[in-house]
Amino acid sequence: MSIYQNIISTIQQSTYKLTPQRETILKILVDNVNEHLSAEELYFILKEVNPDIGLATVYRTLDIFYELKILEKITFGNGIAKYHLRQTFNNSMHHHLICTRCHNIDTISNPIFTKLIKYVNSEYGFEVQDNTIAIHGICEECKNNEDLNNEIR
Amino acid sequence: MSIYQNIISTIQQSTYKLTPQRETILKILVDNVNEHLSAEELYFILKEVNPDIGLATVYRTLDIFYELKILEKITFGNGIAKYHLRQTFNNSMHHHLICTRCHNIDTISNPIFTKLIKYVNSEYGFEVQDNTIAIHGICEECKNNEDLNNEIR
DNA sequence: GTTTATGCAAAACATTTGCAGCCTT
DNA sequence: AAGGCTGCAAATGTTTTGCATAAAC
């Protein structure tokens, strides 16, 4: 069963209805499985497919998908929430490198995270959400630009 | 030299002026070194000390302190930025457990983070900011409440 | 005396909500 | 007919900005 079909059944088994709007939004999320889309970014893509769907519907749908544990939702650094299919559906275990300069998000996988998650769970009783370890800093590109600017000065 | 004095000189050596407002805000930050204050929370404390300082000044001062690398600034989960003295000034190396239910922030220290930071730096050229690894999940308290609710149902 | 900082109010920004009309069964 | 769902516009909450006044060096 495809990711898409898998999620469709999740929605159908919930108390929420599977509307054309929700299907369209889901398609965009599946097509952009490697991106971390904000509501506005998704809305922008959506406009090309179907200009009649409102931004409020996008927000409401993302909320519902989050509630159904289809999506992760994290606000990374600049106050804009970004959404991403959860591990259960996209089958990829990864974490995030978030640049505080350009707000770009890179993904990262490493066995060290598994240890960290176990430690935090046993020591603090803290249940780590999947894919939600965020490391804030400055990405290579921004650091290079910074060095360049310093040279010019 | 105390943390406070240390930061005062940092400001004096910068292009920014040391005004009474900035001094007062700094004092509150130093007094609450273990907290992660939002602008509003700081403003609330500030009102007791000096009701004449405006909220805009709080935001501008926090921005300046962030620029001078006196403060960390991260937006944790719910779109509200929180500020905290940087490691250089508070001398405490720690990271964050952020509850996505109650938005509480717990701090955590462990040698595993040092390894992780080294790895990310060498492998991705990513320069990790101090104290800014954020692990999102559900804290023990919220998990217990959740279990309790399930039992009652 | 010039530059920088402040306070207030208004604007900006992402997000949420109220409500009337719309589907879907 | 009743239910949830949608789109629009208005409201919300946090943060930023314009501007006239005040303070700092």
Side-chain angles (χ1 to χ4, degrees), chain A:
Chain A
M1 184 151 59
S2 74
I3 300 178
Y4 181 74
Q5 278 307 321
N6 200 347
I7 300 176
I8 292 284
S9 5
T10 302
I11 300 169
Q12 286 170 333
Q13 284 158 33
S14 77
T15 58
Y16 297 107
K17 289 181 181 167
L18 184 62
T19 65
Q21 287 91 337
R22 290 175 185 169
E23 276 188 87
T24 309
I25 291 169
L26 175 58
K27 266 192 201 112
I28 292 173
L29 287 165
V30 172
D31 285 350
N32 294 275
V33 68
N34 292 320
E35 304 286 327
H36 294 79
L37 296 175
S38 67
E40 288 279 357
E41 283 162 356
L42 197 150
Y43 182 62
F44 187 78
I45 298 172
L46 182 62
K47 279 279 146 206
E48 314 261 294
V49 185
N50 184 346
D52 297 333
I53 302 179
L55 182 55
T57 301
V58 172
Y59 276 102
R60 280 187 281 232
T61 303
L62 292 173
D63 265 6
I64 289 168
F65 287 0
Y66 176 63
E67 196 193 318
L68 294 176
K69 295 182 192 297
I70 293 164
L71 294 177
E72 328 159 4
K73 170 189 182 177
I74 303 189
T75 308
F76 289 129
N78 60 349
I80 300 174
K82 301 219 170 181
Y83 297 83
H84 187 267
L85 290 183
R86 281 187 64 161
Q87 197 181 319
T88 337
F89 293 106
N90 78 11
N91 224 26
S92 112
M93 178 68 178
H94 68 259
H95 296 281
H96 302 107
L97 298 181
I98 300 151
C99 182
T100 53
R101 288 269 195 291
C102 66
H103 298 117
N104 194 40
I105 298 169
D106 204 351
T107 58
I108 168 177
S109 317
N110 189 287
I112 208 170
F113 287 111
T114 313
K115 277 188 212 165
L116 191 57
I117 290 168
K118 269 191 197 144
Y119 167 75
V120 164
N121 200 281
S122 66
E123 209 62 31
Y124 293 81
F126 191 89
E127 187 187 313
V128 178
Q129 281 173 21
D130 42 63
N131 295 353
T132 56
I133 297 182
I135 304 179
H136 297 257
I138 302 168
C139 72
E140 192 158 31
E141 202 179 327
C142 285
K143 206 164 49 184
N144 289 343
N145 288 342
E146 206 171 67
D147 293 346
L148 206 63
N149 286 340
N150 286 340
E151 275 170 37
I152 291 167
R153 259 186 231 123

Side-chain angles (χ1 to χ4, degrees), chain B residues 10 74 100:
Chain B
T10 303
I74 302 188
T100 53

Side-chain angles (χ1 to χ4, degrees), chain B residues 21 25 43 46-47 50-60:
Chain B
Q21 288 90 338
I25 290 169
Y43 182 62
L46 183 61
K47 279 280 147 204
N50 183 345
D52 296 334
I53 302 179
L55 182 56
T57 301
V58 172
Y59 275 102
R60 281 188 281 232

Side-chain angles (χ1 to χ4, degrees), chain B residues 24-35 37 42 61-62 65 70-71 83-85:
Chain B
T24 309
I25 290 169
L26 175 58
K27 267 192 201 116
I28 292 174
L29 287 165
V30 172
D31 286 348
N32 294 274
V33 67
N34 291 319
E35 305 286 326
L37 296 175
L42 198 151
T61 302
L62 292 172
F65 287 1
I70 293 165
L71 294 177
Y83 298 84
H84 187 267
L85 290 183

Side-chain angles (χ1 to χ4, degrees), chain B residues 66-101:
Chain B
Y66 176 64
E67 197 193 316
L68 294 176
K69 295 183 194 298
I70 293 165
L71 294 177
E72 328 159 4
K73 169 188 182 178
I74 302 188
T75 308
F76 288 128
N78 59 350
I80 300 175
K82 301 218 169 180
Y83 298 84
H84 187 267
L85 290 183
R86 281 187 66 163
Q87 198 182 318
T88 338
F89 294 105
N90 77 13
N91 223 24
S92 112
M93 178 68 176
H94 68 259
H95 297 281
H96 302 107
L97 299 180
I98 298 152
C99 182
T100 53
R101 289 269 193 290

